[in-house]
Amino acid sequence: MWRTYLRPASMAEALDLLRRYAGQARVIAGGTDVLVELSRGVRPTETLIDITALTELKYVREESGLIRLGALATHNDGIASPACVAGALPLAQACWEVGAPQIRTRATIAGNLVTASPANDTIPPLMALGAELALVSAEGGERIVPLAEFYPAFRRTVLRPDELIREIRFPALRENQRGIFLKLGLRRAQAISVIDIALVLTFDGEVVRDARITLGCLAPTVIHARTVEAYLVGRRLDEAVCAEAGRRACDDAAPIDDLRGSAGYRRETLAALVAEGLRRVAAGTQAAGWPATPVLLETRDTSSTVALPFAGVIATTINGTAYELPGAAGKTLLNALREDAGLTGTKEGCAEGECGACTVWLNRQTVMSCLVPAAQAHSGSVTTIEGLAHAGGAADEGDLHPLQDAFVACGAVQCGFCIPGMLMAGAKLLDERPAPNDEQILTALSGNICRCTGYRKILDAVHAASAEITEGGAA
Amino acid sequence: MPIRIITTHLEFEGQVSEQRVVIEGDEPPVWGPDAALSIVGTPQPRVDGRERVSGVAEYTYDVRLPGMLIAVGLRSPHPHARVTRIDATRAEVAPGVRAVYTRFNAGDFLHPDNERPFFGEELPYAGDLVALVVAESRAQASDACALIAVDYEPLPFVIDPEAALQPDAPHVILTRENNGLSDEYPKTYERGDITRGLAEADVTVEVRFETPAALHNSLETHGATAQWDGRTLTIWTSTQDVYGSRRQVASALGLMHNQVRAIKQYMGGGFGSKFGTHSSGMLAAYAAYKLGRPVQYMLSREEENLCTGHRSPTIQTYHLGAKRDGTITAIDLHAIANVGATGGWFPPVSMVAKEMYQCPNVRTVDEGARTNLGPFAAFRAPGVVEGTAGFEVALDRLAAALNMDPLEFRRKNYAPEHQAMERPYARKLLLEAYDLAAERIGWATRDAEERRYPLGRDGHLRRGVGMASQMWGGDGGPPAQAIAKLLPDGTAVILTGTQDIGTGTRTVLAQIAAEELGLPLEHVRVELGDTEFGVFSPGSGGSMTLSSVGPAVRMAAVEARKELLEVISQLAEAPTDAIELRQGAVFSRETGKEMGTIASFLDQLDGHEITAKGMRGPNAEGMTVRTFGVQFAEVEVDVGTGEVRVLRVVACHDCGRIVNPLTFSSQIEGGIIQGLGFALMEQRIVDDRLGIPVNANLENYKVPTIRDVPEIEIIPLDRPNIHANTLGTLGAGEPPIIPTPGAIANAVAHALGRPVDALPLTPDRVLKLLNQEATV
């Protein structure tokens, strides 16, 4: 899919590469969109410039009322940041609704903005929050572009070929501001939006002083619902106002029919969604349902893995053993594991991040290995199903991870093809939360499709393993 | 042993066929209700569970052979086109490329079943094969594919089945006279007088119901790895049918059966789509045979969804009539199934309408319409899932028109006998199943205000409860063989030619053998999925594997036990009827004392192995063996967004004796979730103007995730059906998916107070229904 894989060690080097490749290369970080696009022949390239070694760009912080997200801040970073949840709830909610946990560990918010689909979930909240982007290039230095001016047309941005998003920033919500993000998909998890909306309202007491309402999938780009925004100013959010605002939102939208939904459906649900969002903001229940401790499927610590310079030969540790994979720089981690490392326990179900069969751990994160360039494992460590028992502390050769034992005992396996990925996601959940509740299990496994079992016994097995682990720990 | 050739009848997916089988010896008597069994009937984890959870299990896609080449296909982007020119010269000299096959150098390679070329001049659907590149690596093969230049002459196409059946429709395949399936087109069944039946009715309803194309999306795609060593063509193939694969590969390549070995140890799902070895397997075999190097050809997810089959979309039109008291007087059904461009049969959509409920006047017409889409393939109760959904929805409409309770209406029209064949059912526990499941779901309170409106009348949630009945075969039948071997260490090996497609076949066969041999389960090893054992079994489908192969395994084990008892009797100088085998040990019946382990006796015989054969005997004559069942579903609909959530499903199916409650309930749960997907979200979407599927992937073809799973309550009946086979078992693979979509559709109609006219019930469709005038 690509031939040259570059991993600059500094911002200056990254910008220099971008200048030299002059639009012929693509920037990659999490890779969850880029690899899907490349496999479908969208915006093809022979060269990837991986910016993940620029670890100084991985941050979410609040400074004097301004929330700043570095280019490498992931959706999980947004979810896990107390500043983001407190000062930008709609963004945190959007991050939580994106893809599956294995996507959220890797996918960056900046990347979501650059993909530039009107269905990208983080655009409406960031637009409603009044975000601006700091774009940098070797020749032009830094320029600031309001997000509202970033998208000139359908799937287009004003980002120049030699530019990189360095930072996303916006004012944190103040005491008198409340907001929410709502989304409709075709399924309860791992579904692209049919429509999504973000609301940010500023109040004088109970009266709306300012309203920012943004709509996704309702026009060629994410747009403001200007009519509704104007209508709401000076009003109290009683039931009639919420309902009327919903109806008026349809005047602001220009949806189309596509394979996820009809224009008519989008209009009709827009009204319901806007009204519901306003009701919840009015009642102060915008954060209802937000998990106290969201499941992330990654071990979060501050000792970030230092990415060593990459010179074409991947050197990595897989299941505790050192590997050199000389022919794998142009491959996904999935193909490198299977074809070069000879570890076929990790399965390919779809090769586009939709089924989870290829789930492995990379540097303590749960990832879809089909969406990770193998070179991102350089100088890192990978755990696959073949190493799960050992990673789970199995003492003897032949012992299994408690979750593997539980899957067998509970009959949670039929054909078994999805099971390696299911186990890697489930075992990471148990690391993160040894006694998960149903909701947490559903979240953790929502990115793993099983076509045989009906999932009930998988749920049973996670509970059974949890009991084994927590009781074993107590003993 | 003397042999007999017996003619018996076999029903497979709605088709009854006459079969002549060789019977050698006698089957043991059936395990009746009083049979004392200690391993059969108990929940047992899979005997190969460890391999399946540790990454060790080798799927077709995991086979790695020294020198193995990888094949990648180039497929037509047009719904109908003629290939006029292919320039593969750049691809042929690309790095790593070992061969490029097209119609110009491999046009004489024909599919053995329909004699169509694998590389055709005329390509009747988007996704048909144009070229195959074989290279040292997948990347090299893919890169070379992009270098092939093809000139297509686009041809007129048709994708709508009703349009395809019009006289002036474009020809889906130029050489065919029309787009109907010519052989038995259309298939009509009649009993009584439909005109009189409708005239006699006090109330009639007309219902048009449409179901979508569902894609199997087995997590492992179709494909194979093949190797030719000059003597044997070995094919590792993701199949439900190793013997069918052997036959197909042998006849495609002009080899003898004894030159082909088909292997399938583990597979990532099939659901009906993996009978034989699919063209991908035959192409891998062809390339390996030509090149003398191992070749692997596994399809991409997109290819899988374009060319390996689907549940055919249907348009069902019912005209039903009943007396005021609820007696059905007329069932008229016209069903059109869109079967795609190729393929030689169409699904039995009308099976349930003919048989499920009592009615003297029935007429059904099944039509298969060819269109310029990929060919359909069997998909877990093909035709019957669709037909049950449509028929049960139509029945609810008729019940509503009569102002009758839907369950009471079905009880009223209960069919005690097989009307179409005018003979009794071996057993029918459906009335009991109705009672048990209705009680569990709380049918009596389905209309209660507080249940239907959980947030009150003004809230945005509505709930509904619906039900649908289920019928299916699944009693199995001959031929199926097994060999039981007892080894000197007292362990056993069972050889069969069946395959475990994920359902747990290996485990239940081990349970059956362990039961008869008096061995602990871990002392029995079951070999399957390999034609090299030379023990024929049929393909795994029709919910028949256990009921076909299980009795053969049981008979082999019984025969082996007889010989074992004889051996022990002579060595211990005790009559055979004084000896009992339990958990690998030999006991005196008289004293109850252990006389030693089985191994301790066999070990005295210097390597002698006991070998015994078993085979599946003929089916019972003069009656129809069926599984019957019912499911009830409770749903919640958000009337603001149109989202449907299934809250609970209660399932009660008579599947005869349950050999392993764990694998049984797993099948039921899995079937229900697939049925839920079909009811609510799964559908292939085709661009009408372009004639190509636009969601041949898992991004936009949605299958249920763990978040979509309802509470599932299974009421097991677990009673041997003594007419089915010597185990008393019936299949459980297909029954659980059959009623789910109909039950969910009826529950949604109940929640909305609106009739449902099509699946899937996407939010978009539900809101459209809500905007219609209330008529239910």
Side-chain angles (χ1 to χ4, degrees):
Chain A
M1 292 201 286
W2 62 89
R3 295 183 197 283
T4 308
Y5 196 88
L6 304 169
R7 185 197 268 175
S10 69
M11 177 63 99
E13 194 189 331
L15 295 179
D16 188 51
L17 285 171
L18 278 173
R19 182 182 56 79
R20 284 198 281 132
Y21 277 92
Q24 298 304 302
R26 289 190 66 176
V27 172
I28 185 165
T32 52
D33 277 347
V34 173
L35 261 56
V36 172
E37 290 190 351
L38 291 182
S39 72
R40 292 182 180 175
V42 177
R43 294 192 264 179
T45 185
E46 302 226 319
T47 308
L48 292 178
I49 299 175
D50 175 358
I51 59 167
T52 55
L54 312 180
T55 47
E56 70 271 20
L57 297 181
K58 187 169 166 65
Y59 61 85
V60 178
R61 54 178 173 251
E62 183 175 358
E63 287 166 0
S64 42
L66 209 58
I67 292 181
R68 298 169 179 274
L69 312 174
L72 292 181
T74 62
H75 290 71
N76 260 4
D77 292 334
I79 295 162
S81 154
C84 200
V85 175
L89 181 68
L91 176 63
Q93 289 171 323
C95 289
W96 183 239
E97 295 277 351
V98 166
Q102 299 96 313
I103 302 288
R104 299 194 286 265
T105 55
R106 301 293 292 176
T108 62
I109 296 171
N112 198 238
L113 297 186
V114 172
T115 298
S117 157
N120 283 141
D121 288 326
T122 63
I123 301 174
L126 282 169
M127 224 147 97
L129 288 160
E132 57 184 30
L133 310 177
L135 311 179
V136 286
S137 64
E139 281 168 7
E142 182 158 308
R143 63 175 178 137
I144 306 300
V145 175
L147 184 59
E149 295 167 19
F150 191 60
Y151 300 106
F154 176 66
R155 281 188 174 264
R156 298 279 297 276
T157 73
V158 299
L159 191 71
R160 290 196 294 258
D162 63 341
E163 271 182 326
L164 201 62
I165 296 182
R166 188 182 61 77
E167 184 179 87
I168 304 160
R169 60 189 177 223
F170 53 87
L173 294 177
R174 295 183 307 275
E175 287 275 295
N176 63 337
Q177 291 185 304
R178 298 198 291 275
I180 192 169
F181 170 85
L182 292 172
K183 155 175 175 170
L184 285 182
L186 287 180
R187 189 169 62 187
R188 286 170 192 284
Q190 174 80 321
I192 293 175
S193 291
V194 178
I195 66 168
D196 57 6
I197 63 164
L199 316 180
V200 171
L201 289 106
T202 309
F203 292 91
D204 267 335
E206 291 187 358
V207 177
V208 175
R209 194 173 75 202
D210 179 64
R212 277 172 280 161
I213 296 178
T214 49
L215 316 176
C217 309
L218 286 151
T221 63
V222 173
I223 53 165
H224 278 269
R226 298 289 183 198
T227 317
V228 188
E229 289 176 347
Y231 167 75
L232 288 172
V233 172
R235 294 179 197 274
R236 284 168 207 276
L237 296 181
D238 59 25
E239 177 53 36
V241 167
C242 294
E244 179 59 22
R247 279 190 289 277
R248 290 187 182 213
C250 298
D251 296 340
D252 290 317
I256 56 165
D257 293 334
D258 69 14
L259 69 169
R260 286 192 290 278
S262 65
Y265 177 75
R266 290 193 158 99
R267 281 180 192 284
E268 199 166 345
T269 53
L270 173 62
L273 220 56
V274 168
E276 174 66 13
L278 288 170
R279 274 183 216 115
R280 286 178 59 181
V281 168
T285 58
Q286 64 276 1
W290 180 258
T293 49
V295 167
L296 299 174
L297 293 197
E298 63 180 309
T299 308
R300 296 185 65 81
D301 57 22
T302 46
S303 63
S304 64
T305 311
V306 179
L308 295 179
F310 173 66
V313 175
I314 298 167
T316 188
T317 303
I318 307 173
N319 302 328
T321 303
Y323 282 78
E324 281 210 347
L325 308 172
K331 293 184 179 183
T332 62
L333 179 58
L334 170 64
N335 288 341
L337 287 169
R338 293 180 52 84
E339 295 169 4
D340 297 72
L343 296 168
T344 55
T346 304
K347 303 303 183 211
E348 175 184 315
C350 69
E352 52 181 13
E354 293 290 338
C355 77
C358 68
T359 302
V360 301
W361 301 345
L362 170 62
N363 300 337
R364 300 182 297 276
Q365 290 181 326
T366 308
V367 305
M368 307 258 195
S369 62
C370 70
L371 296 186
V372 176
Q376 289 193 338
H378 178 63
S379 77
S381 76
V382 180
T383 305
T384 70
I385 187 68
E386 290 92 344
L388 178 61
H390 183 72
D396 296 320
E397 190 74 19
D399 281 0
L400 295 174
H401 186 284
L403 190 61
Q404 291 174 304
D405 281 327
F407 265 59
V408 175
C410 296
V413 181
Q414 280 212 21
C415 85
F417 201 79
C418 70
I419 295 300
M422 195 76 77
L423 285 164
M424 295 311 290
K428 182 58 83 177
L429 170 72
L430 292 172
D431 274 358
E432 197 177 317
R433 251 169 264 294
N437 59 29
D438 272 0
E439 179 55 32
Q440 289 163 339
I441 299 171
L442 298 185
T443 297
L445 300 183
S446 62
N448 292 82
I449 286 171
C450 170
R451 200 62 166 146
C452 300
T453 63
Y455 300 108
R456 297 297 323 181
K457 291 180 172 26
I458 290 172
L459 204 56
D460 296 345
V462 178
H463 282 304
S466 164
E468 174 69 25
I469 288 167
T470 50
E471 283 161 24
Chain B
M1 246 183 262
I3 65 160
R4 292 163 289 150
I5 297 181
I6 286 178
T7 300
T8 186
H9 292 86
L10 187 70
E11 184 175 328
F12 185 78
E13 320 230 302
Q15 318 281 327
V16 178
S17 63
E18 200 171 80
Q19 210 137 0
R20 283 210 290 180
V21 291
V22 176
I23 302 294
E24 193 177 335
D26 290 313
E27 288 192 290
V30 62
W31 276 330
D34 302 327
L37 305 174
S38 59
I39 300 176
V40 165
T42 62
Q44 296 291 343
R46 279 159 201 269
V47 295
D48 53 4
R50 186 186 177 83
E51 288 85 338
R52 289 176 196 263
V53 299
S54 58
V56 171
E58 188 182 62
Y59 294 78
T60 299
Y61 173 52
D62 302 332
V63 174
R64 293 284 181 277
L65 300 172
M68 186 173 84
L69 301 170
I70 304 291
V72 170
L74 177 69
R75 292 181 178 273
S76 169
H78 300 287
H80 196 187
R82 183 183 282 123
V83 177
T84 54
R85 188 187 71 98
I86 298 178
D87 181 355
T89 46
R90 289 176 65 209
E92 281 161 352
V93 297
V97 171
R98 297 292 165 255
V100 180
Y101 298 112
T102 71
R103 60 168 283 230
F104 296 107
N105 63 358
D108 58 348
F109 183 44
L110 305 181
H111 195 291
D113 296 346
N114 59 17
E115 305 207 327
R116 274 174 49 80
F118 285 95
F119 303 96
E121 178 185 0
E122 183 189 355
L123 306 170
Y125 64 94
D128 203 359
L129 193 64
V130 176
L132 190 74
V133 177
V134 186
E136 298 288 341
S137 74
R138 178 146 56 154
Q140 288 172 329
S142 297
D143 289 349
C145 257
L147 300 175
I148 300 173
V150 184
D151 288 349
Y152 298 100
E153 179 198 332
L155 298 169
F157 65 89
V158 58
I159 57 167
D160 178 83
E162 289 176 307
L165 292 174
Q166 298 301 314
D168 56 347
H171 288 229
V172 168
I173 292 177
L174 296 177
T175 50
R176 291 187 187 274
E177 273 177 38
N178 62 52
N179 297 328
L181 284 198
S182 50
D183 300 343
E184 301 167 278
Y185 163 82
K187 209 180 253 183
T188 301
Y189 165 83
E190 266 188 290
R191 71 169 177 263
D193 180 343
I194 189 67
T195 314
R196 197 181 67 216
L198 286 167
E200 283 173 5
D202 298 318
V203 175
T204 62
V205 294
E206 269 191 78
V207 177
R208 181 183 158 103
F209 193 80
E210 294 189 34
T211 63
L215 303 172
H216 302 71
N217 272 312
S218 307
L219 272 210
E220 183 186 40
T221 59
H222 286 64
T225 308
Q227 180 177 40
W228 168 246
D229 64 7
R231 178 182 151 81
T232 304
L233 189 298
T234 306
I235 181 164
W236 292 259
T237 176
S238 188
T239 184
Q240 299 173 226
D241 183 10
V242 287
Y243 274 89
S245 297
R246 181 178 80 170
R247 177 187 56 74
Q248 280 184 327
V249 170
S251 65
L253 297 180
L255 297 173
M256 294 183 287
H257 285 203
N258 65 15
Q259 290 176 289
V260 177
R261 176 180 182 187
I263 300 173
K264 197 286 298 180
Q265 291 302 310
Y266 294 92
M267 73 190 289
F271 310 113
S273 68
K274 290 182 177 169
F275 273 84
T277 191
H278 187 248
S279 59
S280 49
M282 282 179 275
L283 287 160
Y286 177 78
Y289 184 64
K290 291 273 180 193
L291 298 172
R293 291 198 34 199
V295 175
Q296 182 172 79
Y297 182 25
M298 296 300 295
L299 299 185
S300 70
R301 175 59 50 192
E302 186 181 22
E303 286 180 292
E304 178 78 8
N305 279 345
L306 289 174
C307 74
T308 66
H310 57 269
R311 186 185 295 287
S312 58
T314 66
I315 301 167
Q316 305 169 40
T317 309
Y318 294 91
H319 202 180
L320 309 180
K323 294 277 194 195
R324 183 58 61 197
D325 71 354
T327 307
I328 300 175
T329 60
I331 296 173
D332 188 20
L333 165 62
H334 184 197
I336 299 173
N338 179 349
V339 298
T342 56
W345 63 294
F346 52 94
V349 177
S350 65
M351 182 173 153
V352 282
K354 283 179 215 168
E355 193 184 328
M356 188 72 226
Y357 299 103
Q358 190 73 26
C359 180
N361 307 302
V362 177
R363 180 176 65 192
T364 65
V365 180
D366 276 301
E367 285 190 271
R370 288 186 197 280
T371 60
N372 291 105
L373 289 162
F376 104 105
F379 188 168
R380 207 169 189 173
V384 176
V385 170
E386 306 88 289
T388 299
F391 189 46
E392 293 283 339
V393 162
L395 280 176
D396 262 29
R397 296 274 291 282
L398 184 54
L402 290 160
N403 205 17
M404 260 186 99
D405 175 273
L407 179 58
E408 194 46 47
F409 181 53
R410 285 166 176 84
R411 281 200 184 100
K412 169 99 187 161
N413 293 289
Y414 183 78
E417 290 202 334
H418 188 221
Q419 301 162 88
M421 293 186 76
E422 296 180 334
R423 64 184 194 181
Y425 292 121
R427 177 171 88 187
K428 187 169 177 181
L429 303 180
L430 188 55
L431 288 174
E432 186 180 344
Y434 284 157
D435 290 343
L436 291 168
E439 169 76 26
R440 188 73 67 86
I441 197 81
W443 181 258
T445 62
R446 76 194 273 262
D447 286 319
E449 179 89 3
E450 63 277 16
R451 189 165 176 189
R452 290 197 66 181
Y453 303 94
L455 302 178
R457 280 255 173 195
D458 297 329
H460 63 284
L461 298 179
R462 305 271 183 283
R463 290 188 180 175
V465 181
M467 54 90 57
S469 307
Q470 166 266 319
M471 54 169 245
W472 188 250
D475 57 331
Q481 307 170 353
I483 289 174
K485 293 179 75 72
L486 278 165
L487 309 186
D489 66 350
T491 65
V493 175
I494 305 298
L495 303 178
T496 79
T498 189
Q499 45 277 308
D500 188 336
I501 62 173
T503 57
T505 301
R506 198 188 290 270
T507 304
V508 293
L509 295 182
Q511 286 178 266
I512 291 163
E515 185 75 53
E516 288 295 4
L517 290 168
L519 291 174
L521 190 58
E522 58 273 20
H523 285 188
V524 178
R525 176 188 173 107
V526 173
E527 294 291 357
L528 43 68
D530 193 336
T531 56
E532 204 66 357
F533 302 127
V535 190
F536 177 84
S537 289
S540 292
S543 307
M544 297 181 23
T545 307
L546 170 61
S547 297
S548 295
V549 184
V553 168
R554 183 176 169 226
M555 178 175 165
V558 167
E559 295 299 322
R561 184 187 61 195
K562 281 184 195 160
E563 189 175 333
L564 174 64
L565 288 173
E566 199 58 53
V567 165
I568 294 169
S569 150
Q570 292 189 27
L571 290 172
E573 294 178 3
T576 55
D577 56 6
I579 304 166
E580 192 181 0
L581 306 174
R582 249 187 1 248
Q583 284 291 303
V586 182
F587 294 88
S588 157
R589 275 192 199 277
E590 201 179 347
T591 65
K593 267 184 58 183
E594 185 178 329
M595 301 159 64
T597 60
I598 292 174
S600 70
F601 287 95
L602 287 176
D603 200 34
Q604 299 173 33
L605 296 175
D606 290 329
H608 176 74
E609 293 184 356
I610 292 173
T611 302
K613 278 205 290 192
M615 50 197 53
R616 172 64 157 84
N619 282 334
E621 293 293 324
M623 61 177 73
T624 296
V625 182
R626 288 242 182 281
T627 77
F628 287 99
V630 64
Q631 284 179 17
F632 289 77
E634 180 158 18
V635 303
E636 184 172 273
V637 183
D638 184 323
V639 295
T641 64
E643 290 168 300
V644 177
R645 176 178 203 123
V646 181
L647 303 173
R648 280 171 82 201
V649 174
V650 174
C652 185
H653 299 271
D654 171 18
C655 297
R657 175 190 303 287
I658 295 166
V659 174
N660 186 341
L662 208 51
T663 53
F664 169 77
S665 55
S666 192
Q667 282 284 56
I668 303 286
E669 289 160 2
I672 288 170
I673 295 309
Q674 258 181 12
L676 181 151
F678 186 66
L680 298 186
M681 61 186 85
E682 295 188 32
Q683 59 176 330
R684 179 186 65 189
I685 300 170
V686 180
D687 184 308
D688 304 355
R689 291 156 303 153
L690 302 177
I692 55 174
V694 292
N695 63 342
N697 50 50
L698 281 169
E699 180 192 345
N700 288 312
Y701 183 92
K702 293 294 184 203
V703 301
T705 74
I706 195 167
R707 277 218 172 270
D708 300 293
V709 173
E711 292 296 320
I712 296 173
E713 295 165 61
I714 301 166
I715 304 172
L717 292 170
D718 192 12
R719 282 172 229 169
N721 184 324
I722 57 166
H723 303 290
N725 55 65
T726 66
L727 309 173
T729 57
L730 299 169
E734 282 151 310
I737 194 179
I738 290 171
T740 314
I744 290 174
N746 281 336
V748 170
H750 181 230
L752 299 179
R754 302 280 195 288
V756 164
D757 57 4
L759 299 179
L761 291 160
T762 58
D764 201 338
R765 175 164 280 135
V766 168
L767 278 199
K768 282 191 189 117
L769 292 172
L770 271 165
N771 291 334
Q772 291 167 6
E773 289 300 306
T775 53
V776 170

